[in-house]
Amino acid sequence: MEIGKKRVLLGVNVDHCATLRQARYKSDPEQVLAEPNVLEFTLLCERAGADGITMHLREDARHVQAFDIRQVKDALKTRLNLEMACSSEMIDFALELKPHSVCLVPEKREEITTEGGLDLLKNYDRVAAVVEAMEAHGIKTSLFIDPDEAQIKAAAELKAPWIELHTGAFSNAFASGKWSERWAELAQGAQLADGLGLVVNAGHGINYENIKQITQLPHLNELNIGHSIVSQSLFVGVERAVKDMLSSIA
Ligand code: PXP
């Protein structure tokens, strides 16, 4: 890393540790035998140097549960970023939980993962109300959006402090070897957002292969990475998986 240059921060999304647990214990409401322990996994991520932890409480609670998030919030020394849809239930949950930040995402029941960015033009008034409510309670809002000019301009108008650029299309393209167009969209998006005063985060589909390229994004503040780190931790352990990602970012 260049001297004086700020390191890109790493937020670890621990949802898929809970996916593994839910695969077996979905039907056990007490979860007495539940493993792996999501809180323990999360604290190991923090001990390995993660700058923050992200958890996405989905409407169908298919991975982390509300109790996981409450336990993590109480035990975490760093920051908790709650990913959520703009539903009334989730807004109430966030206002009660008071995480450091929320990241607003679109949510479709049938999707396997968050498929596209939040459409700020279509959901402008709703998002404006959430940004305002969070701000009033000292919670920062991040908007998960595609690297699209109109969406980025809308994020700035909405006065959200942060955006998270959706890197999914780039990550898929990277795997196929033809990624220059997707890269240009991301880089231009980051430039535009920074020029409009937005803090630029990014996430989705980032792995140990594409991370070096991703860190070349201009004005990058933080990356949110989940699936790849959880997968790698099966082979090398959680702390090694987080440390290896951190050293790729440095
Ligand atoms: N950022 C957002 C907004 C997401 O929805 C997700 C997936 O839950 C991630 C980052 C992490 O993506 P991945 O698991 O592919 O690293």
Side-chain angles (χ1 to χ4, degrees):
M1 190 171 46
E2 285 165 45
I3 293 167
K5 199 174 168 216
K6 201 178 112 226
R7 173 172 74 76
V8 174
L9 302 175
L10 174 64
V12 179
N13 181 318
V14 298
D15 291 346
H16 293 306
C17 174
T19 303
L20 196 53
R21 180 192 65 196
Q22 296 303 105
R24 179 59 63 88
Y25 293 105
K26 235 180 199 162
S27 56
D28 169 14
E30 298 296 315
Q31 301 195 314
V32 274
L33 300 171
E35 62 179 6
N37 183 308
V38 174
L39 177 61
E40 222 173 284
F41 183 94
T42 304
L43 295 178
L44 285 173
C45 291
E46 186 174 61
R47 198 163 88 184
D51 299 287
I53 296 295
T54 294
M55 302 173 97
H56 182 181
L57 184 58
R58 283 182 165 269
E59 188 195 4
D60 62 7
R62 68 173 78 146
H63 34 59
V64 294
Q65 313 292 304
F67 76 81
D68 289 316
I69 301 183
R70 290 198 177 96
Q71 281 180 352
V72 166
K73 166 76 175 28
D74 288 345
L76 214 58
K77 294 194 193 74
T78 55
R79 293 178 280 116
L80 175 64
N81 176 42
L82 174 68
E83 246 181 55
M84 58 179 242
C86 282
S87 65
S88 313
E89 296 77 25
M90 284 311 308
I91 294 165
D92 290 347
F93 180 72
L95 294 179
E96 178 225 311
L97 182 78
K98 294 199 174 39
H100 179 266
S101 56
V102 293
C103 179
L104 303 185
V105 297
E107 201 173 293
K108 287 193 228 112
R109 216 170 278 192
E110 64 280 10
E111 69 192 358
I112 289 171
T113 182
T114 316
E115 277 164 6
L118 183 61
D119 188 338
L120 299 180
L121 306 175
K122 261 197 197 151
N123 299 288
Y124 196 92
D125 293 342
R126 181 118 192 112
V127 175
V130 180
V131 173
E132 201 179 306
M134 296 299 150
E135 172 90 26
H137 287 77
I139 304 167
K140 287 197 182 341
T141 304
S142 178
L143 304 175
F144 184 56
I145 53 174
D146 290 324
D148 170 86
E149 187 177 332
Q151 297 294 335
I152 294 166
K153 287 185 171 161
E157 267 176 42
L158 283 159
K159 297 196 172 44
W162 296 349
I163 56 165
E164 181 171 324
L165 289 177
H166 194 323
T167 49
F170 162 78
S171 299
N172 290 342
F174 190 88
S176 74
K178 293 192 183 130
W179 45 273
S180 59
E181 273 179 47
R182 298 282 90 87
W183 177 254
E185 286 167 6
L186 270 182
Q188 283 160 19
Q191 287 287 10
L192 173 64
D194 177 73
L196 293 169
L198 292 159
V199 171
V200 180
N201 299 330
H204 213 285
I206 300 173
N207 59 30
Y208 295 84
E209 303 293 318
N210 60 31
I211 184 69
K212 272 284 165 230
Q213 185 59 37
I214 285 281
T215 55
Q216 300 308 308
L217 258 191
H219 312 295
L220 191 55
N221 172 63
E222 182 164 57
L223 292 171
N224 274 310
I225 309 179
H227 190 262
S228 190
I229 290 178
V230 175
S231 303
Q232 182 69 355
S233 71
L234 294 176
F235 297 99
V236 301
V238 194
E239 290 193 73
R240 185 75 272 144
V242 172
K243 282 180 181 161
D244 286 351
M245 193 57 89
L246 276 167
S247 62
S248 300
I249 289 175

